[in-house]
Amino acid sequence: MKPLIISIDRQYGSGGRDIAHILEKKFDIPYYHHRLLREVGIHQDYDIDEIRDMYDESPRYLTASRRVRGLVNSNEENITQREFEFLRSMAQQGKSFVVIGHCSEELLRDYGVISIFITGDDDFKLKRTMEKYHEDEAAARARMKRFDRKRKNYHNYYTNTKWGDVRNYDITMNSSRLGVEKTADFLEAYIRQRMEEAEKASEE
Amino acid sequence: MGSMSPAFYPIRQAMKPSTILNCTTEYRTKTGLNIVLCLKEDYDISILKGMCSMEGFAPWAAVIIFLLMFILIILDKFERHWVTLSCAAAVLIIVFGICLHSWPDVWEVINLNSIFTTSFWIGPSESSSVGINWSTIIFIAGMMVMVEGMAQQGFFRWLCLWIARLVKYRASRIFLAFMVMSFLLAMFIDSITVILFLAAVTVELGKLLHFNPVPIILSEIFCANLGGSATMCGDPPNIIIGTSLHLSFADFIVNTGLLAFVSLFLVMLWFWLCYHKRLQKSEKYVQTMTVFPDPKEAIENKTGFIVSAMIFLLAIVLLVSHAQTGLTVAFIGAFIALVTLLAAGKHVPELLKQIDYKTLLFFIGLFVVVGGLEETDVLTVIADLIARISGGNMVPVVLIIIWVSAAASAFVDNIPFSAVMVPVIRTLSAVYGLDLNVLAWTLSMGTDIGGSATPIGASANVVGTAVAMKNGYPISWKSYMKTAVPATILVISVSSLLILIRYVWI
């Protein structure tokens, strides 16, 4: 069986992470999100959630870091490069996995990645964010805006393509139409179809 | 005390809104630009001729190119040597060629003829005052060759492991010993190389001995910058200051060296108070260990190792005695490089490949851009501004230079900053009669130590924090500055006080 690599990028609050979790279970393959940080060797003394909030999927802040003799002291860039190396090596080894964000649709394009972008209506995303973080509307909106901007800047800094541009992904879905679970079901069917097509192609 | 009247002072005067009454004169510039002048009737038209001509635009062009260079370096979209070289080409073409129509100045800024004079290699004169400082370039290149030779022979790794064994692999003792070693090595070798090796070995020992290497790396970085300030060859700003102002190794060691040694004691005490409890906790583990790394493992070729150590000692002797022997730092750099290459034998191509030629090109471009600022009197204006604020008195001048240099170097690369400030202090001395050497020590301490305050202030900080991160120990700005900023303030305060006591008040 050919390795299965699923890349999911998402707008904040759209349920992309939950969908990735569901697909992880349905296909019984590992799911990398902030677990990536442990895989790339962040020392166990560090609080991984704190490191994720501060540096993971963040662009390099040019005024806060410098490059000397090829070494750059941006924690964001160092973590990103190590994550990229890890994901590439997993793909090269023929491993199957689900990865969320991390420019993976672009990074793993040559490894037959199935790339998905999850979007959602503002009201849907807002409601989910308010419930999850017990925040009022203003705080939840600010959070969504902050994270979407961060993800966009991160993606556009490390790739030559634009974050959320439908041309970069195999499928772009609005999770507010069917809800998170049914969206995941739909995607499962799509992925299985893709796997069948890939098997047929390799047999031919 | 005379007052300055640089080329573009009249521009500001002419731009004052109060002088504008009605439109009276149409003026056509050399480039064909029609300008309608709105002047008070008694205003001297010659003032505005300078402003409107291409010659009047030269200082602005030099400033714009310099700022563009700084912004491009920060943005890091292009390699920084291409940035400085492109900006240098822009200075030569736009400022000297188009604006000033002064092609002889181009040759003066490139300054190649200085290399072919005897005084460049032997004698008291180090370098021409304007343009590319070839002494700095050749010296840095020579030291790079030597350091690469030493690294190939495993010298730095051996030294680190040997010291760790000497202090019985106790984390708190390694902490103190590595601070001293970092200081002493950085006196003679560029701090980037010192930290590159020290930080890597510290991480390795940290993993082996179960201690967190971050406090030690942070202390090493600070001490490397401090050690660099002690000598003429320790830090690039000092090489620039020393070669431009004809100062010797001995001049530095008895002035900034003394300040650095006093500061080292205080800094070690500070870092000890901050970190020793954390490090002592890990020492119990060492008592259970039976196998330790052998320093000899770092040496592949014993003869090559001894030769590289001898070359290093020779470099130190030549540098310490260069005022007596009359050999310039350019000569010492070239000689040491030649000896290292001869000793390297068949490894010469390998060694030359490792040379950081990008840094050398960065310096060449930088010197031309700063030469543009200097030739168009922009730096004279800065000197004049400092003199006006201070009233030409030594005490405020010292305080302004050291604190402004420290604050600026904390956020921008201290190499371009010091290259800009050298002509400024030279002007301050020439025009206002202030002691140039005192200003040089002040500038040196400000730029070298100020760079320690933030993770981006000096190259050693960048390398040290990057090595820690690559090994799984991210260092945030907050955790870096928590100890580095108080240490910087402490050293700058003590240095300010000692400079004033020694050179001004007594």
Side-chain angles (χ1 to χ4, degrees):
Chain A
M1 195 176 146
K2 286 192 82 176
L4 171 64
I5 303 174
I6 305 168
S7 153
I8 296 181
D9 214 339
R10 70 292 181 210
Q11 283 188 317
Y12 197 84
S14 65
R17 194 193 299 188
D18 295 340
I19 291 168
H21 258 309
I22 296 169
L23 294 177
E24 171 199 10
K25 284 176 189 150
K26 284 182 186 287
F27 290 98
D28 192 23
I29 52 178
Y31 159 56
Y32 294 116
H33 180 223
H34 59 275
R35 232 184 79 190
L36 264 176
L37 288 168
R38 285 283 182 234
E39 300 288 351
V40 300
I42 298 294
H43 197 267
Q44 57 193 17
D45 288 353
Y46 287 84
D47 177 352
I48 215 75
D49 289 330
E50 199 181 309
I51 295 291
R52 184 195 65 203
D53 291 345
M54 284 171 76
Y55 308 124
D56 196 24
E57 282 199 278
S58 280
R60 177 185 162 200
Y61 297 102
L62 296 170
T63 48
S65 60
R66 269 179 55 201
R67 191 182 300 276
V68 174
R69 293 197 195 171
L71 290 167
V72 63
N73 69 336
S74 156
N75 290 323
E76 294 86 357
E77 179 153 336
N78 277 303
I79 286 176
T80 298
Q81 295 300 350
R82 290 170 70 108
E83 286 174 334
F84 285 0
E85 277 167 31
F86 174 78
L87 290 172
R88 266 196 218 103
S89 82
M90 293 292 285
Q92 276 162 3
Q93 289 168 38
K95 301 271 174 69
S96 295
F97 56 93
V98 183
V99 58
I100 195 151
H102 296 94
C103 310
S104 47
E105 91 287 349
E106 181 74 17
L107 187 76
L108 306 172
R109 200 177 286 279
D110 295 340
Y111 301 95
V113 65
I114 297 174
S115 56
I116 299 160
F117 189 85
I118 306 293
T119 180
D121 291 347
D122 270 0
D123 291 346
F124 176 79
K125 293 186 292 180
L126 190 65
K127 191 176 166 226
R128 282 176 50 86
T129 307
M130 286 166 70
E131 278 170 8
K132 187 169 183 184
Y133 294 99
H134 309 290
E135 287 176 341
D136 62 19
E137 189 182 328
R141 266 192 203 285
R143 175 188 283 271
M144 284 164 53
K145 199 175 167 186
R146 190 171 70 246
F147 274 89
D148 278 345
R149 189 169 52 222
K150 189 175 153 187
R151 285 172 187 171
K152 179 180 151 193
N153 290 340
Y154 166 78
H155 183 280
N156 297 353
Y157 178 80
Y158 288 107
T159 68
N160 294 321
T161 54
K162 301 283 178 213
W163 181 72
D165 184 336
V166 290
R167 290 170 295 184
N168 302 331
Y169 307 91
D170 294 336
I171 188 163
T172 301
M173 272 203 81
N174 186 329
S175 58
S176 36
R177 297 288 174 266
L178 296 174
V180 168
E181 301 226 340
K182 285 183 181 167
T183 301
D185 292 342
F186 177 88
L187 289 171
E188 182 196 2
Y190 170 78
I191 292 164
R192 292 204 186 279
Q193 190 65 44
R194 283 280 304 266
M195 288 166 74
E196 274 178 33
E197 295 297 324
E199 285 299 324
K200 274 184 202 166
S202 63
E203 279 168 17
E204 283 169 12
Chain B
M1 247 171 253
S3 70
M4 301 295 298
S5 55
F8 67 107
Y9 264 15
I11 297 169
R12 287 195 310 207
Q13 289 164 13
M15 295 298 274
K16 280 180 189 169
S18 61
T19 63
I20 297 171
L21 284 180
N22 51 12
C23 297
T24 55
T25 313
E26 189 171 325
Y27 184 73
R28 194 175 177 82
T29 66
K30 285 176 189 171
T31 53
L33 179 70
N34 281 318
I35 296 173
V36 177
L37 298 178
C38 305
L39 293 176
K40 225 173 156 179
E41 281 178 2
D42 60 349
Y43 210 90
D44 183 0
I45 189 73
S46 63
I47 291 171
L48 277 150
K49 278 184 182 175
M51 170 191 163
C52 297
S53 69
M54 290 310 286
E55 196 174 325
F57 182 66
W60 300 107
V63 170
I64 290 166
I65 294 168
F66 180 77
L67 293 177
L68 182 70
M69 179 188 82
F70 242 116
I71 292 165
L72 288 173
I73 289 174
I74 290 169
L75 290 179
D76 199 25
K77 285 279 178 196
F78 309 100
E79 290 203 68
R80 62 181 197 155
H81 63 288
W82 287 121
V83 172
T84 60
L85 288 175
S86 307
C87 289
V91 165
L92 295 178
I93 295 166
I94 298 170
V95 176
F96 292 112
I98 298 172
C99 294
L100 296 175
H101 301 288
S102 174
W103 295 106
D105 279 347
V106 172
W107 187 241
E108 194 184 334
V109 168
I110 292 173
N111 201 17
L112 260 180
N113 50 344
S114 68
I115 298 175
F116 303 104
T117 58
T118 316
S119 64
F120 183 83
W121 302 101
I122 299 165
S125 176
E126 287 284 352
S127 178
S128 164
S129 57
V130 178
I132 301 174
N133 186 334
W134 289 107
S135 297
T136 299
I137 308 282
I138 291 174
F139 176 70
I140 291 175
M143 295 309 270
M144 277 178 184
V145 174
M146 180 192 78
V147 166
E148 281 305 326
M150 290 166 75
Q152 272 187 0
Q153 299 301 336
F155 179 86
F156 297 107
R157 196 175 142 70
W158 169 84
L159 186 64
C160 294
L161 292 177
W162 181 75
I163 287 181
R165 189 172 70 178
L166 199 70
V167 296
K168 299 188 175 8
Y169 299 99
R170 296 289 177 89
S172 57
R173 292 184 197 171
I174 289 174
F175 172 61
L176 292 174
F178 277 20
M179 272 199 277
V180 175
M181 182 166 62
S182 177
F183 180 92
L184 294 176
L185 282 176
M187 285 172 68
F188 302 99
I189 294 169
D190 75 288
S191 50
I192 300 174
T193 307
V194 172
I195 291 302
L196 207 55
F197 284 95
L198 263 179
V201 174
T202 305
V203 169
E204 189 185 328
L205 288 172
K207 282 178 182 164
L208 187 75
L209 307 172
H210 288 218
F211 65 76
N212 183 348
V214 172
I216 305 186
I217 291 174
L218 295 182
S219 317
E220 286 163 1
I221 291 170
F222 199 97
C223 289
N225 290 329
L226 193 57
S229 72
T231 65
M232 182 175 165
C233 58
D235 235 8
N238 282 18
I239 304 171
I240 294 169
I241 294 167
T243 51
S244 304
L245 303 180
H246 311 153
L247 299 166
S248 70
F249 187 91
D251 290 333
F252 271 91
I253 200 83
V254 297
N255 291 286
T256 57
L258 195 72
L259 296 171
F261 273 104
V262 172
S263 303
L264 175 66
F265 173 74
L266 297 171
V267 163
M268 285 177 71
L269 191 65
W270 164 251
F271 281 114
W272 175 259
L273 288 172
C274 294
Y275 294 130
H276 80 282
K277 279 184 188 163
R278 226 199 283 184
L279 291 164
Q280 278 172 340
K281 272 183 198 168
S282 66
E283 289 185 355
K284 282 177 192 164
Y285 180 79
V286 182
Q287 291 157 7
T288 64
M289 283 180 66
T290 50
V291 182
F292 294 97
D294 184 357
K296 281 180 192 162
E297 286 169 10
I299 306 168
E300 280 181 22
N301 174 353
K302 206 172 175 183
T303 316
F305 174 82
I306 293 168
V307 170
S308 74
M310 296 299 286
I311 293 172
F312 181 45
L313 283 177
L314 178 66
I316 292 175
V317 170
L318 287 175
L319 283 167
V320 171
S321 63
H322 86 117
Q324 287 74 38
T325 58
L327 303 175
T328 63
V329 292
F331 179 91
I332 295 169
F335 177 70
I336 289 296
L338 195 67
V339 174
T340 307
L341 291 173
L342 286 173
K346 62 177 181 181
H347 299 295
V348 169
E350 227 173 287
L351 201 148
L352 288 176
K353 258 188 214 165
Q354 295 298 319
I355 303 303
D356 184 14
Y357 69 91
K358 290 176 183 175
T359 296
L360 301 176
L361 293 173
F362 164 78
F363 272 107
I364 291 172
L366 173 70
F367 284 132
V368 174
V369 177
V370 173
L373 291 175
E374 200 176 355
E375 287 287 289
T376 52
D377 284 340
V378 173
L379 301 182
T380 313
V381 176
I382 297 172
D384 196 43
L385 183 72
I386 294 172
R388 279 185 198 195
I389 293 169
S390 62
N393 295 319
M394 196 59 162
V395 175
V397 168
V398 164
L399 292 176
I400 288 171
I401 289 178
I402 198 165
W403 285 96
V404 171
S405 303
S409 299
F411 297 99
V412 298
D413 195 335
N414 59 7
I415 300 169
F417 185 82
S418 57
V420 166
M421 284 302 288
V422 166
V424 170
I425 62 167
R426 199 161 35 207
T427 307
L428 275 171
S429 171
V431 178
Y432 296 94
L434 304 174
D435 187 334
L436 183 58
N437 286 1
V438 177
L439 299 181
W441 315 139
T442 308
L443 178 63
S444 163
M445 292 309 284
T447 49
D448 292 338
I449 306 306
S452 299
T454 67
I456 57 166
S459 300
N461 318 4
V462 178
V463 170
T465 48
V467 168
M469 175 56 242
K470 275 186 168 292
N471 287 282
Y473 295 94
I475 300 173
S476 66
W477 267 63
K478 191 180 163 191
S479 63
Y480 183 97
M481 289 169 65
K482 206 171 157 183
T483 51
V485 169
T488 306
I489 292 171
L490 177 71
V491 174
I492 294 293
S493 304
V494 169
S495 299
S496 308
L497 193 66
L498 291 178
I499 287 171
L500 291 175
I501 292 171
R502 183 171 170 188
Y503 306 109
V504 183
W505 290 332
I506 295 178

